[in-house]
Amino acid sequence: MPRPLRIWYPGAMYHIVARGNRRAAIFHDQADFQMYLAILEDVRSMMPFILHSYCLMTNHLHLQLETLHHHIQYIMKELHSRYAVYLNQRLKTDGHVFQGRYGARLIETDAYFLEVSRYIHRNPLEAKMVLNLEDYRWSSFSSYVNLLQLNPHVDHSKTLSYFREPVEEQYKLFVEKNLHMIGEGPLCVPELPVLD
């Protein structure tokens, strides 16, 4: 029985999750992380999309990706088949690099858009890989809380449009403190905890 087709339309946004086959590492060292991002940029030059956030972990990855004119299946097939060829050649192995089909949850509300951004950026903290999220190099988080630190892979504009000035500090609070948002739209602010 064929797999159901992914829901797609121009402008569709997704939370993409992909894991290593049998939970094996898909990134072994700095060169692998860099190559994945280089391939991502090459694929984007052929099939433009917007990347709102990402986190590359040792054995899995998260992308918050907005399509423009190309179906998500073509973007991800090109990206992951090219990375799999690279990794198999580098490790002198063959076979599947990724575990089955990547996950792609459609993002259709502002609240879920923000929740996905927070979830993606909290991954290294939840995995106890870092104490400070800004220290994790293979995530877009540090470029969100320090806009002078350029990250050519992500577009911050939509995400930060939900926060009041200073947007970097408000976003950092939202992610690190696991706060909830009040309202929707450009004047959203993190809901601060009530102090006794």
Side-chain angles (χ1 to χ4, degrees), residues 5 12 16 32 38 49 67 100 104 109-110 112-113 121 139 169:
L5 294 175
I16 304 288
D32 294 342
F49 58 83
T67 63
T109 67
D110 291 345
Y112 188 49
F113 177 87
H121 284 149
S139 152
E169 289 177 28

Side-chain angles (χ1 to χ4, degrees), residues 21 84 88 93-97:
N21 195 30
N88 277 331
T93 59
D94 56 19
H96 296 290
V97 169

Side-chain angles (χ1 to χ4, degrees), residues 67-84:
T67 63
L68 298 173
H69 308 293
H70 296 88
H71 198 296
I72 188 65
Q73 72 181 18
Y74 302 124
I75 294 169
M76 293 309 300
K77 180 179 180 183
E78 185 71 17
L79 174 57
H80 282 181
S81 61
R82 287 177 58 182
Y83 183 75

Side-chain angles (χ1 to χ4, degrees), residues 55 57 115-128 130 133 139 141 171-179:
C55 187
M57 302 287 280
E115 189 55 42
V116 167
S117 181
R118 170 169 47 198
Y119 178 84
I120 287 174
H121 284 149
R122 285 184 64 83
N123 256 249
L125 190 65
E126 300 293 343
K128 298 181 175 26
V130 292
L133 283 175
S139 152
F141 180 76
Y171 183 76
K172 184 175 181 175
L173 272 176
F174 172 66
V175 173
E176 289 183 345
K177 306 301 183 191
N178 216 9
L179 303 175

